[in-house]
Amino acid sequence: MSILNNSVVPVGSTGYDIPYSLRFNDDDSAYLTRTTTAGNRKTWTWSGWIKHCKKCGTGPTIEANFFNCHTSGSDVAGVLFNTDERIQFLDYNSGYRIHLITAAKYRDPSAWYHVIVSVDTTQATASDRAKLWVNGVEPELSTAVYPALNADLKINSALEHRNGSSAQMTNVRWLDGYLAEVNFVDGQALTPADFGETDATYGHWKAIAYTGTYGTNGYYLDFKDSGSLGNDANGSNNWTPTNLAATDQMVDSPTNNFATLNPLSNGANTYADGNLSYLISAAPSNVSGSIGQSSGKWYFEVLPSTTFMLIGWWA
């Protein structure tokens, strides 16, 4: 059974609007890929919004990579949810050149997380050479290894890069979730203020439009063109979708957050399609939505694929 992707009244937003996201289903082995020319390997920024759907640690979601580049399994760089569902930023080649891991775990299936990683290995202070932000703040780190002065790193080299999975040839780590508002800036180490701001009324972190330049390998993925999901909305650095279809363009976004099924309410079921469908493992099998309501008028739809089920509200 499934919750339809247009079935829930979304949370309204004001100001800058992100109309679309791209859904990655790990069982489909879905990803975006591009082989770049060599850019600035000392200085760059990646920014994106992620809604994570599936607990890491098993199956195709052992880890969940949302940005990655590699030569081999022992020569790799990227940003991911690790097996402990902490956000990890690494560059590894027979030893860590960068290794940042958050102390906090990020496992709320209803939340959109804004992640920024940036590097500038020309900085004199080691901790200024690699930065990680989540929702506008630098989180406490459980692990912190910083690059050497003026090091050329893996990202932005003339290799295959991916959004939505690792680029390893074996043991690929797939993202199961949604990506939105992905910016890569070649040649600049930017900060959260370039991509977001704190809401003056409610205090949450929200998106703003990036208005700067992108550089040689820079790109902006807004996922507005369902017929060309890897289209670079800034220029011509387009990405090639694999195992992604027009139906994976979603209106669930950081400024228009939709309820989905909540796998934390019943971990025994098998969830898919961005937590919009699930397979009952054993009856009875209760599952709730990811966004609760205590008052007001709300609308939802469920498409059953079984002969017996109960649908309603629960407290």
Side-chain angles (χ1 to χ4, degrees), residues 98-173:
I98 296 175
H99 199 201
L100 307 182
I101 304 177
T102 64
K105 300 180 180 181
Y106 299 91
R107 51 189 178 187
D108 182 354
S110 69
W112 279 95
Y113 297 115
H114 183 211
V115 178
I116 301 173
V117 293
S118 73
V119 298
D120 183 356
T121 66
T122 68
Q123 294 294 316
T125 302
S127 59
D128 289 336
R129 297 174 198 154
K131 293 284 189 178
L132 166 65
W133 292 274
V134 182
N135 293 342
V137 300
E138 288 189 74
E140 179 184 351
L141 299 175
S142 63
T143 299
V145 176
Y146 297 101
L149 183 65
N150 292 319
D152 282 321
L153 301 172
K154 179 64 60 179
I155 298 292
N156 216 13
S157 54
L159 294 169
E160 178 187 359
H161 292 61
R162 289 190 183 186
N163 281 291
S165 84
S166 67
Q168 297 175 18
M169 300 306 292
T170 58
N171 298 320
V172 176
R173 289 16 178 167

Side-chain angles (χ1 to χ4, degrees), residues 25-95:
N25 189 24
D26 63 351
D27 294 320
D28 294 337
S29 303
Y31 61 95
L32 294 167
T33 185
R34 181 173 181 267
T35 299
T36 69
T37 58
N40 191 328
R41 295 169 56 193
K42 293 180 173 65
T43 309
W44 53 263
T45 304
W46 185 93
S47 166
W49 289 78
I50 301 98
K51 189 173 184 179
H52 192 206
C53 291
K54 187 173 290 185
K55 187 179 186 300
C56 294
T58 59
T61 316
I62 296 173
E63 297 169 344
N65 283 258
F66 32 94
F67 180 50
N68 181 275
C69 170
H70 96 291
T71 300
S72 67
S74 59
D75 188 8
V76 61
V79 194
L80 61 137
F81 292 106
N82 67 15
T83 55
D84 205 23
E85 296 183 279
R86 306 174 196 269
I87 294 176
Q88 181 174 352
F89 173 30
L90 64 89
D91 187 305
Y92 182 89
N93 182 10
S94 302

Side-chain angles (χ1 to χ4, degrees), residues 10-18 204 253-257:
V11 177
S13 65
T14 59
Y16 183 62
D17 183 51
I18 301 172
H204 64 281
S253 82
T255 60
N256 195 19
N257 192 15

Side-chain angles (χ1 to χ4, degrees), residues 172-183:
V172 176
R173 289 16 178 167
W174 307 101
L175 173 65
D176 194 86
Y178 305 76
L179 276 180
E181 194 73 2
V182 175
N183 286 278

